């Protein structure tokens, strides 16, 4: 680095660059927020209070600790963002109720002792998640 | 050690390494559960082991950053820490809160923990890495405030250097972006969008400032290169970091419901994210090559060079591997993600904390460097852990490629669990590499108990001789 490039110059470029990047990021965030209503299936969320209840059931049983949801989470168990479309509501409820399988050597899902209302709410949450416009991800129904 | 109050760093480093051990042990449990699915079930289900594994990582890195900052800021400011007793009190509060949280994870079902801690009042739990009960999160904020108050006061009253300015900026950023962990809208897309403001803006943003500052500090100490040169490098590196990394957040916004243009913004900017990491590698090697003295602490120099290289490989190269949206379409949420995650976290953040501990620990114990036997053992730890982690990443990458092929690309895509069974060979190899990593960690820890033994280089730290 040449001597004309002083530490002060370097510092000013840093603060300027960081501030500019963050403002650009904020601008993109505002635009994203305005574009989301067309994409994020909020009609389902607003029409049915069960969806929010189901999200709480999802969170308070730490489902993300094994599963992915829209590809984010743990990679130990199947993707659930599209499970509503892959398996349907009845299968999901029956599966959760039947855990753990107890098959020796197989990965085990705990029994969460969910009530019928909680199961229904969770299914509604997963239905809502499956309606989000994800730009065509995942590549196929297996997630 | 120039200032007595720098000694508050000690308990932070001890706790960091203890939590590191816990992290690796729970990692081994999970590694085995990947192939022997019912291992330790139902006592420790996978999701519980994973919370302990990832949360222990976060807390030990934070402990490491805090210890580093409590040592670094007084030295740079050329004065005692503003309130050393507050730093010690904060340590115990943080440690007890972390221990209680982990006990909560292990001893009661998560839903029960949520109920006990009043999650319904302000629901923040059950999101990846942010699983802590809301009261723990509030505790973390208070600990961070106490820590930042203490350091900022020290900084403001003393000499203000580029290194301490950048470090404090990074730490303030860390605390401010953590506030987004309290943002949890019912709208899943918005929840995920702002969740990344904690996770991405930490690890691909402000944490890199902390890393850069710590690395710069250690390089000045072990090489004796002019501060002027080091400062310029530091500013250039962190400029590149934030200019690529902030908009680079977009590489998480491809498939979660956000608009399609993020695929362009995210791909372009995150493709540039390896550049600051490469600059960091060049920085470390350049400074060591231009060194003005041979510091007796060779282990610390090795860690400093190592973190430069491994951060570039793990965060830079392995990040680039799956950051372009057409590639990420297939790799998103597969084993490619943890392969990158493991190498990046180890290479960048675990190793930079270990770099600082390596340099600081002998100083805190009144010597310039550890004895020969201790350093040799520490360097064994370095090589065994670093090579093992590289293999963990390679095996997970192999598993990930196979997974993508079988589940997402072939003519007849297979279901998730069937694919997992076909990856077992790579998962077993990963467990073996994990055991090797643990052996390296044990060698590393043993080095602390060798102190000054067998040391031709050992000399007591004279009052002013440390330079």
């Amino acid at each position: 680095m040449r001597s004309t490039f002083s530490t002060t110059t370097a510092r000013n470029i840093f603060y300027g660059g960081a501030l500019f990047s963050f403002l650009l990021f904020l601008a993109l965030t505002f635009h994203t927020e305005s574009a989301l209503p067309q994409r994020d299936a909020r009609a389902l969320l607003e029409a049915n209070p069960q969806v929010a209840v189901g999200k709480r059931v999802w969170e308070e049983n730490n489902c993300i600790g094994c599963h992915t949801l829209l590809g984010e989470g743990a990679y130990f168990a199947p993707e659930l963002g599209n499970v509503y479309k892959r398996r349907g509501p009845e299968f999901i409820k029956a599966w959760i109720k039947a855990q753990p399988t107890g098959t020796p050597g197989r990965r085990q899902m705990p029994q969460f002792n969910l009530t019928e209302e909680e199961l229904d709410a969770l299914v509604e949450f997963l239905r809502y998640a499956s309606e989000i416009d994800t730009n065509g991800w995942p590549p196929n129904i297996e997630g | 050690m120039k200032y007595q109050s720098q000694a508050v760093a000690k308990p932070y480093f001890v706790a960091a390494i203890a939590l590191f051990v816990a992290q690796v042990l729970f990692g081994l449990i999970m590694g085995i559960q990947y192939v022997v699915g019912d291992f330790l079930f139902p006592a420790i289900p996978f999701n519980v082991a994973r919370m302990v594994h990832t949360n222990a990582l976060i807390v030990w890195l934070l402990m490491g950053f805090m210890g580093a900052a409590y040592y670094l800021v007084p030295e740079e400011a050329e004065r005692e820490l503003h309130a050393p007793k507050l730093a010690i009190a904060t340590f115990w509060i943080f440690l007890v809160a972390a221990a209680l949280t982990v006990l909560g994870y292990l001893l009661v079902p998560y839903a029960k923990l949520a109920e006990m801690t009043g999650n319904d009042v302000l629901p923040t739990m059950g999101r990846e890495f942010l699983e802590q009960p809301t009261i723990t999160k509030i505790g973390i904020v208070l600990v961070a405030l106490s820590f930042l108050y203490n350091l900022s006061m020290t900084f403001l009253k003393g000499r203000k250097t580029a290194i301490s300015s950048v470090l404090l900026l990074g730490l303030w950023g860390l605390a401010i972006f953590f506030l987004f962990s309290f943002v949890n809208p019912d709208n899943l897309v918005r929840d995920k969008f702002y969740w990344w403001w904690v996770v991405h803006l930490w690890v691909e943003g402000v944490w890199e400032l902390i890393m850069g500052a710590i690395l710069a500090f250690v390089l000045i100490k072990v090489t004796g290169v002019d501060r002027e040169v080091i400062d310029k490098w530091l500013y250039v590196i962190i400029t590149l970091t934030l200019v690529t990394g902030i908009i680079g957040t977009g590489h998480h916004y491809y498939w979660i419901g956000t608009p399609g243009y993020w695929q362009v913004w995210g791909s372009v900017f995150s493709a540039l994210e390896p550049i600051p990491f490469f600059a960091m590698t060049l920085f470390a090697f350049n400074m060591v090559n231009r060194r003005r003295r041979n510091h007796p602490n060779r282990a610390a120099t090795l860690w400093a060079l190592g973190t430069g290289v491994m951060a570039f490989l793990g965060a830079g190269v392995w990040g680039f591997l799956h950051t372009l949206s057409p590639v990420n379409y297939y790799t998103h949420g597969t084993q490619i993600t943890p392969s990158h995650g493991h190498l990046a976290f180890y290479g960048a953040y675990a190793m930079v904390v270990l770099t600082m501990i390596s340099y600081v620990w002998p100083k805190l114990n009144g010597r310039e460097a550890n004895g020969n036997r201790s350093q040799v053992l520490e360097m064994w730890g370095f090589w065994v852990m670093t090579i093992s982690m590289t293999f963990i990443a390679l095996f997970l990458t192999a598993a990930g490629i196979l997974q993508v092929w079988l589940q997402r690309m072939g003519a007849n895509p297979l279901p998730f669990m069937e694919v997992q069974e076909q990856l077992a060979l790579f998962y077993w190899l990963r467990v073996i590499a994990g055991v090797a990593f643990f052996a390296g960690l044990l060698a590393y820890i043993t080095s602390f108990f060798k102190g000054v033994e067998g040391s031709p280089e050992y000399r007591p730290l004279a009052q002013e001789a440390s330079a």
Side-chain angles (χ1 to χ4, degrees), chain B residues 71-249:
Chain B
Y71 184 90
L72 187 155
V73 173
E75 182 132 338
E76 291 288 287
E78 296 184 330
R79 54 171 297 119
E80 294 286 350
L81 188 65
H82 178 67
K85 281 185 184 144
L86 181 64
I88 294 294
T90 308
F91 167 78
W92 286 108
I93 292 166
F94 194 19
L95 189 71
V96 169
L100 286 176
T101 302
V102 169
L103 285 176
Y105 291 160
L106 289 170
L107 298 180
V108 292
Y110 192 70
K112 181 80 187 155
L113 184 64
E115 192 193 318
M116 283 162 58
T117 57
N119 190 53
D120 52 339
V121 180
L122 177 58
T124 67
M125 291 173 72
R127 293 170 308 145
E128 193 186 6
F129 311 130
L130 304 180
E131 296 92 348
Q132 312 82 32
T134 302
I135 47 171
T136 304
K137 290 195 181 83
I138 294 170
I140 293 172
V141 171
L142 296 176
V143 164
L145 277 179
S146 148
F147 162 74
L148 287 169
Y149 160 76
N150 212 342
L151 290 174
S152 301
M153 290 304 284
T154 313
F155 172 82
L156 289 173
K157 287 194 288 187
R159 184 179 67 145
K160 293 163 192 67
T161 65
I163 290 177
S164 56
S165 310
V166 171
L167 180 70
L168 275 173
L169 189 65
L171 293 168
W172 271 102
L174 184 157
I176 287 165
F177 287 114
F178 183 70
L179 296 178
F180 283 91
S181 71
F182 294 96
V183 177
N184 182 17
D186 289 335
N187 184 323
L188 183 64
V189 180
R190 296 185 66 240
D191 169 9
K192 285 175 173 288
F193 188 90
Y194 292 106
W195 179 83
W196 283 113
W197 285 42
V198 186
V199 178
H200 177 95
L201 293 179
W202 266 19
V203 300
E204 291 169 64
V206 291
W207 282 28
E208 284 184 58
L209 269 56
I210 299 168
M211 179 190 174
I214 294 175
L215 188 60
F217 176 80
V218 174
L219 285 172
I220 284 188
K221 298 294 174 184
V222 298
T223 65
V225 170
D226 261 1
R227 189 177 279 275
E228 175 81 7
V229 179
I230 298 236
D231 287 355
K232 258 189 256 185
W233 271 94
L234 179 59
Y235 276 123
V236 170
I237 289 169
I238 62 174
T239 305
L240 292 167
T241 296
L242 293 189
V243 168
T244 61
I246 293 175
I247 306 293
T249 315

Side-chain angles (χ1 to χ4, degrees), chain B residues 37 67-68 86 90 119 252 254 278-279 304 313 331 337 341 359 384 411 436 463:
Chain B
L86 181 64
T90 308
N119 190 53
H252 302 293
Y254 299 161
F278 187 61
L313 278 181
T331 59
T337 312
Y359 171 72
V384 175
Q463 285 311 90

